[in-house]
Every structure is written in structure tokens, then in C-alpha cells.
């Protein structure tokens, strides 16, 4: 996934990946939000749409401009639970990817991975205003998110996801430029003494 993205954009991409891979729709997200006690943040489809529209990558961006910490945590926990519920689907896709790699074949040639990449690319191009990524870059983004989903589907997935969100939100460190040090002036030559054996 691209680095230095706002948390709201990262979460939206995770949900997009789950939708492309496991056909997770708004109904499943809202049902899980109710079970987990997050209906105050996600009361209905409009509320979910507005939160996802807060992503700066989104086309139109007519939703919320800001995502507060509690809303972000709720969405992160929901993403983790969804990844855990669809862990077998995620693992199957990863295993197929490994098989393709071992055979020297491109991932999109596998039916499952090819369908996932096609759906992700289509959803991204339909909903995102970002037109800087070509097909190969979107395919790589889809695969990167697939690896992320595998980590989020583990028992420590919630902690992994939150740490990742914070790390990828931080701006990259400034590049270090090598500055040639200033030359150190040579010590001044000692003046010859007129009285070498004098204590004065």
C-alpha cells in the first residue's frame, strides 16, 4: 500500500479489498457494527457511506471531511473482525499466489486471484478520483492489501492494523544530504622566543 496516506484513506482501501475478495458489502459491515456495539458510529448505509467518502482518494468527496479517533478505531476493529471471519478466503488467495509464484506464472492468471484483481481495479477506478495509477500498479496495490489482510486476520490483527495505520500516516523522514565539513584552520605557528631559557 502507498505510504503516508491518511487513516481514513487506508481504512477505505482495506474495505475495498475485502469487498473485492470476499464480496463484503455495506449490509455485512453494518450488521457487524451492531454486534460489536458501534452502531452509534455506523447507524445506517448513509452513515457508512459518509465515513468512507471522507477519504481524500474518493471521487466527489461529498461525505464527511473528518474522521475522529473513535470512528477510526471502530472501523479498524470492524476491518479486523471481517478479515478474521474471511480468513480462509484470504489464506486460499495467498496460497494460490504462492503457487503461481513457484511456477513462474503471473498472479492474475489464477482464476481466484484474477477475479480479485479485476474486481479491485474496477472498484478503485469507479470510486476513486486518483487516476495516477495504471493497471499494473492497481494490481500490485490489490496484492499488497491481500498480504495486509492476512496479518489482520490473526488474533493480534487489531493491534497490527492500528500500528500499521499510524506508521503509514507518518510523513517520510527528510532525506539526509551530505554536507562537506568546513576546513579546520591550521594552528598558528609558535613565535620564536627571544629568551629560550628564561622563565619570564
Amino acid at each position: 500500500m502507498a505510504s503516508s496516506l491518511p487513516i481514513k484513506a487506508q481504512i477505505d482501501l482495506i474495505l475495498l479489498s475485502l469487498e473485492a475478495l470476499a464480496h463484503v458489502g455495506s449490509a455485512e459491515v453494518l450488521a457487524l457494527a451492531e454486534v460489536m456495539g458501534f452502531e452509534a458510529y455506523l447507524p445506517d448505509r448513509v452513515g457508512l457511506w459518509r465515513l468512507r467518502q471522507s477519504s481524500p482518494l474518493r471521487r466527489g468527496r461529498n461525505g464527511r471531511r473528518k474522521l475522529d479517533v473513535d470512528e477510526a478505531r471502530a472501523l479498524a476493529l470492524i476491518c479486523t473482525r471481517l478479515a478474521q471471519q474471511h480468513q480462509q478466503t484470504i489464506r486460499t488467495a495467498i496460497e494460490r499466489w504462492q503457487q503461481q509464484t513457484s511456477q513462474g506464472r503471473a498472479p492474475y492468471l489464477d482464476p481466484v486471484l484474477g477475479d480479485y484483481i479485476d474486481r479491485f481495479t474496477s472498484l478503485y477506478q469507479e470510486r476513486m478520483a486518483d487516476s495516477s495509477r495504471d493497471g499494473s500498479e492497481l494490481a500490485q496495490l490489490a496484492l499488497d492489501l491481500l498480504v495486509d489482510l492476512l496479518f489482520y486476520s490473526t488474533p493480534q490483527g487489531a493491534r497490527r492494523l492500528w500500528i500499521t495505520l499510524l506508521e503509514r500516516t507518518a510523513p517520510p523522514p527528510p532525506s539526509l544530504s551530505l554536507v562537506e565539513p568546513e576546513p579546520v584552520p591550521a594552528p598558528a605557528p609558535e613565535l620564536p622566543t627571544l629568551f629560550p631559557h628564561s622563565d619570564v
Side-chain angles (χ1 to χ4, degrees):
M1 188 189 297
S3 60
S4 300
L5 278 178
I7 287 178
K8 51 194 175 184
Q10 296 182 56
I11 291 176
D12 188 40
L13 287 176
I14 293 169
L15 289 172
L16 196 74
S17 177
L18 285 165
E19 182 177 353
L21 179 67
H23 304 275
V24 173
S26 57
E28 185 173 352
V29 175
L30 292 173
L32 189 55
E34 183 177 359
V35 171
M36 298 177 69
F38 296 142
E39 62 270 20
Y41 306 116
L42 298 170
D44 49 33
R45 292 175 184 267
V46 175
L48 174 60
W49 176 81
R50 285 179 174 173
L51 287 181
R52 296 190 65 177
Q53 281 294 115
S54 67
S55 168
L57 300 179
R58 280 273 178 164
R59 191 185 301 275
R61 296 194 61 200
N62 295 320
R64 294 269 302 278
R65 288 290 187 266
K66 187 177 180 181
L67 189 70
D68 65 35
V69 175
D70 290 335
E71 290 169 337
R73 286 177 176 168
L75 284 172
L77 290 172
I78 289 172
C79 287
T80 302
R81 185 69 64 85
L82 287 169
Q84 292 169 348
Q85 290 180 348
H86 295 281
Q87 185 184 61
Q88 187 55 52
T89 301
I90 296 168
R91 286 187 175 276
T92 298
I94 291 289
E95 290 170 359
R96 286 176 171 268
W97 185 8
Q98 291 173 336
Q99 291 173 0
Q100 292 293 102
T101 301
S102 65
Q103 297 171 5
R105 293 164 55 87
Y108 65 83
L109 294 177
D110 177 83
V112 172
L113 289 173
D115 182 63
Y116 164 61
I117 292 172
D118 286 345
R119 280 179 53 81
F120 180 86
T121 300
S122 177
L123 290 171
Y124 189 97
Q125 292 175 337
E126 173 188 342
R127 300 178 186 177
M128 305 300 173
D130 177 26
S131 59
S132 62
R133 300 176 188 266
D134 58 23
S136 61
E137 290 174 326
L138 288 176
Q140 186 59 54
L141 177 60
L143 294 173
D144 291 344
L145 286 164
L146 181 60
V147 175
D148 288 343
L149 288 178
L150 180 63
F151 285 111
Y152 304 153
S153 68
T154 64
Q156 299 297 322
R159 182 174 180 274
R160 286 176 178 267
L161 173 53
W162 193 248
I163 291 175
T164 300
L165 291 174
L166 295 178
E167 287 179 345
R168 291 177 178 171
T169 304
S175 58
L176 298 178
S177 58
L178 296 178
V179 179
E180 185 176 351
E182 296 182 0
V184 178
E190 295 184 1
L191 296 177
T193 177
L194 297 178
F195 307 98
H197 302 292
S198 173
D199 294 333
V200 179

